[in-house]
Amino acid sequence: MLGHLRFPVARSRGRKYPELHHPYRNEFQRDRDRIVHARAFRRLEDKTQVFASGISDHFRNRLTHTIEVAQIARTVASVLDLDVDLTETLALAHDFGHPPFAHAGEKELDSQMRRFGESFEHNLHALRLVERFEQRYARFPGLNLTFEVREGIVKHSRDLTPGQSLELDQYLPESRPPLEAQLIDLADEVAYNTADLDDAFEAGLISMPMIAAAVPAYAELFEAVETQYPGAHERVQFLESLRLLIDLLVTGLIEGTATAARVAGAGGVEDVCAHRSRLAGYNERAAATTRELKRFLHANVYDSVALREDRARSRAMIAELFEWFLADPDRMPEPHSSLARREPAHRVVCDYIAAMTDGFFRRCYDRKS
Ligand code: MG
């Protein structure tokens, strides 16, 4: 469909440290494999997505969420005839930079860094992880990923402004990323909006009639499922309706992107990157449904008393541990403690905490007191 807009792997700007080609894996396939074998990938297993583990065995964590994003992104890229390997690589890495305790963790690290006139941003942290903190090669630091994968990591969820920082200015801040990277943020959104409904249903926070009252497109799907399977168990009816909802959003993403590319008259990758806005997007129905789902999830799930209390507790714990390490950076193990002598200690503490899993964070926190 959009094969003419596919990013050709042969045109990759390559790696910082030149490497020989592999006999049977292309450069994006190798990057995907490097991501899967990275420690940061395994740590996703013990990072909260929305609901903390321990209450149910079936809530998403950041690893299972990541696999769902990769599934959706791969489907969309393959139907649109884009580069599936590049898309999958970016999907698998898209949450690498998330600190423990999900958005509470991100918010708290950011507010700690603001005391020093800096900030915490998870995409930048992901770049630091793959360029610096993953150490598995004798010849270079980090994973030595291709330019396009690094560009996708910093740009998948937002555009850059030129002059922001020397580091980011390497990633073509004036242009949009290829479609493969543009899809990731939307595949992420489809995955979490639907998965959060599932987990919230499991947690007993929401019901099908509640969603139907707030999201007209869902009301139609719910009615279709009730008519088709009137005797089915409520949970099975819910899963049937959720499947239809994912399909509606994924189809809307495929159609919306194909239409936008046609309307823009994009003839090649250069046009995608030079276009004033991103071409990946939903059709109207999926866009409206996404807005309604977000409103519903905020009101009934993210802003629920249980999750609000959970976030406040997590933020307080992160603030405390941040302060504790900062007061004496030697409380961190090597190489972090030595690093804190050469670099601003608050940055080193921030990197150290950001990379932690929820479980490791709790063990550090318990040891402190
Ligand atoms: Mg995500």
Side-chain angles (χ1 to χ4, degrees), residues 49 62 65-66 69 94-95 98 188 192:
Q49 175 65 18
R62 240 165 236 286
H65 159 72
T66 290
V69 175
H94 90 282
D95 269 355
H98 269 289
D188 185 26
Y192 68 67

